């Protein structure tokens, strides 16, 4: 049960963002820029970073949502699972493995990102912007994960919910729909 009153029909981060529209707006805009904006990393690759970070933070709602979004965008239901299980054996490029390792280090503690980890990413073809965006996506999802878990937001158990949410994320992105979300009538 959430620590504050939230709309029952809006589990996870959605209800929290609706609770404070003024703080939600810049968070949503940043998320839209980082995960859907112009980038040399695909949208699916950026969702993999979000899924990995959420998995390591043990935030079930965000892990399920972003794993499903990555699955849909990559057209493969196994890549996100493989990345979360073992980055080094996952079926992703060497550049992506190096960036995911930077994400894993950042998630643990930003100071854990070493020059060697950055050098590995560069040698695998990562640009400075890709390294920057990997760290920023990681930091943003640590914020989201702490937000969801710190206020005990509802985490649906039904996989069909995450299928719907993954489809919503991949088609509409992270912007609030015009007029907000429908209110559940009793």
């Amino acid at each position: 049960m959430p620590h504050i009153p939230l709309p029952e029909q809006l589990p996870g981060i959605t209800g929290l963002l609706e609770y404070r529209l003024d703080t939600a707006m810049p968070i949503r805009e940043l998320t839209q820029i980082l995960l859907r904006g112009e980038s040399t990393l695909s949208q699916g690759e950026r969702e993999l970073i979000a899924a990995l970070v959420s998995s390591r933070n043990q935030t079930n709602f965000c892990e399920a949502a972003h794993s499903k979004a990555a699955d849909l965008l990559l057209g493969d239901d196994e890549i996100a699972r493989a990345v979360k299980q073992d980055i080094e054996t996952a079926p992703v490029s060497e550049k992506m493995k190096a960036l995911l390792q930077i994400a894993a280090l950042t998630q643990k503690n930003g100071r854990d990102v070493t020059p060697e980890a950055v050098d590995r990413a560069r040698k695998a073809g990562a640009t400075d912007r890709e390294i920057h965006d990997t760290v920023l996506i990681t930091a943003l999802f640590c914020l989201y994960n702490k937000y969801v878990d710190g206020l005990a937001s509802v985490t649906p158990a039904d996989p069909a919910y995450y299928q719907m949410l993954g489809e919503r994320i991949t088609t509409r992105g992270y912007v609030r729909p015009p007029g907000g979300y429908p209110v559940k009538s009793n």
Side-chain angles (χ1 to χ4, degrees):
M1 179 168 181
H3 297 308
I4 60 174
L6 297 170
E8 287 181 31
Q9 78 278 13
L10 299 176
I13 194 68
T14 309
L16 293 170
L17 293 172
E18 286 297 293
Y19 182 82
R20 284 273 322 252
L21 294 176
D22 58 334
T23 58
M25 187 175 67
I27 295 170
R28 285 182 183 278
E29 288 175 1
L30 180 58
T31 309
Q32 184 69 17
I33 290 166
L34 288 172
L35 273 72
R36 292 295 173 272
E38 184 179 319
S39 178
T40 51
L41 296 176
S42 74
Q43 291 180 11
E45 289 170 329
R46 290 177 276 169
E47 289 290 348
L48 281 177
I49 296 167
L52 175 70
V53 170
S54 298
S55 171
R56 288 177 177 239
N57 283 331
Q58 299 177 0
T59 303
N60 298 335
F61 179 87
C62 298
E63 177 187 353
H66 297 285
S67 293
K68 182 47 68 178
D71 290 348
L72 292 168
L73 288 165
L74 297 170
D76 187 324
D77 289 346
E78 293 300 315
I79 296 174
R81 183 198 55 72
V83 160
K84 293 181 293 185
Q85 186 174 346
D86 182 355
I87 294 167
E88 295 305 324
T89 61
V92 295
S93 70
E94 290 303 312
K95 176 177 87 171
M96 202 59 214
K97 287 177 184 178
L99 291 172
L100 288 163
Q101 288 293 359
I102 288 173
L105 293 168
T106 303
Q107 176 272 330
K108 221 166 54 173
N109 182 335
R111 292 186 180 125
D112 286 351
V113 179
T114 62
E116 293 79 18
V118 172
D119 188 50
R120 175 187 176 193
R122 284 190 177 124
K123 284 180 178 171
T127 66
D128 287 347
R129 177 155 173 191
E130 290 169 337
I131 294 165
H132 170 277
D133 287 359
T134 296
V135 171
L136 187 52
I137 291 167
T138 301
L140 178 62
F141 276 86
C142 284
L143 175 147
Y144 272 133
N145 299 158
K146 290 177 187 332
Y147 192 23
V148 166
D149 289 341
L151 288 168
S153 184
V154 173
T155 300
D158 183 1
Y161 176 80
Y162 297 101
Q163 178 69 34
M164 178 278 302
L165 186 57
E167 290 171 4
R168 184 173 83 195
I169 289 170
T170 59
T171 57
R172 196 182 70 234
Y174 294 93
V175 296
R176 185 174 187 256
Y181 293 90
V183 178
K184 191 178 196 178
S185 57
N186 295 333

